[in-house]
Amino acid sequence: MYNASEQFAEFNQANVSNAIKLASLSIENAEKLVSLNINAAKLALAQAIEGAQAAASVRDVQQLLELRTKLAEVGVQSATGYSRTLYELSSEAQAGFSALAEETWKTYTKGVATWVERATQSAPAGSDVAVNALKSTFAASTAAFDQMQKAAKQVVDFTDASMRAATESATNAAVEAGANVKAKRNAN
């Protein structure tokens, strides 16, 4: 015989488990972000001290211009590295949340399928049309969600590839610009 209260208890237990996983994942990602920001602040402070010390030892305008170019390159590299790491952390977090959502969806669809099957077995005689409609609706909604999930994965993969290419291009452009400035100065 079909026992709805037992199935609801299982459903509630699964929800509590998912909430715990979500909270743990959120805290883990927040810790990584805080660590990144603390390290970035330490690096910025160290670079500022180094820049101030170098500026204090400048003897002429040429050295000052060279120092400015060097500090600009270091700043661009630091900002690019920070952005790259931040993007990687974000991508990692998104992947973790997506995996949890997929796991939750699979558990949910399995539970609903079990519920539909049990309800079908307990359905009164003559309710075949309603039972078949329920099964058909559930199958269609599951298929639609799976298609949306595949499309979302393609968008994420495309965005990831684009961001990585843009970051690499920006880094190369900054290095090239610094080299061009040095070449112009040396030519003069």
Side-chain angles (χ1 to χ4, degrees):
M1 178 166 179
Y2 174 68
N3 186 349
S5 62
E6 181 179 308
Q7 195 157 8
F8 283 123
E10 290 173 10
F11 180 73
N12 286 336
Q13 183 60 39
N15 285 338
V16 168
S17 176
N18 286 334
I20 292 169
K21 289 177 187 176
L22 180 62
S24 296
L25 187 58
S26 297
I27 289 171
E28 178 184 326
N29 288 315
E31 286 175 342
K32 289 177 183 177
L33 184 60
V34 167
S35 178
L36 172 66
N37 286 327
I38 288 172
N39 289 334
K42 287 178 181 178
L43 179 63
L45 180 61
Q47 288 174 344
I49 291 169
E50 182 181 323
Q53 289 172 339
S57 66
V58 167
R59 299 183 202 285
D60 60 23
V61 174
Q62 183 64 27
Q63 281 184 332
L64 182 62
L65 293 174
E66 289 174 6
L67 177 62
R68 185 184 71 158
T69 302
K70 178 186 172 193
L71 293 177
E73 286 177 9
V74 169
V76 168
Q77 290 173 353
S78 294
T80 303
Y82 175 82
S83 297
R84 183 180 301 125
T85 304
L86 182 61
Y87 178 74
E88 289 170 359
L89 288 177
S90 298
S91 295
E92 186 180 306
Q94 184 272 335
F97 288 123
S98 292
L100 180 59
E102 287 177 26
E103 178 186 327
T104 301
W105 177 251
K106 286 178 185 177
T107 302
Y108 172 76
T109 55
K110 183 180 176 183
V112 170
T114 302
W115 177 82
V116 168
E117 191 59 39
R118 288 179 183 170
T120 301
Q121 293 171 356
S122 301
S127 62
D128 296 343
V129 173
V131 167
N132 288 335
L134 179 64
K135 285 182 178 181
S136 176
T137 301
F138 177 69
S141 66
T142 301
F145 182 80
D146 289 343
Q147 287 300 320
M148 288 188 303
Q149 191 174 20
K150 287 177 186 176
K153 280 184 180 181
Q154 289 175 345
V155 169
V156 167
D157 290 344
F158 176 75
T159 303
D160 184 53
S162 297
M163 284 297 294
R164 290 184 191 278
T167 301
E168 184 176 331
S169 178
T171 302
N172 292 340
V175 169
E176 188 176 313
N180 289 340
V181 168
K182 284 180 184 177
K184 285 182 184 179
R185 273 200 215 112
N186 292 337
N188 293 333

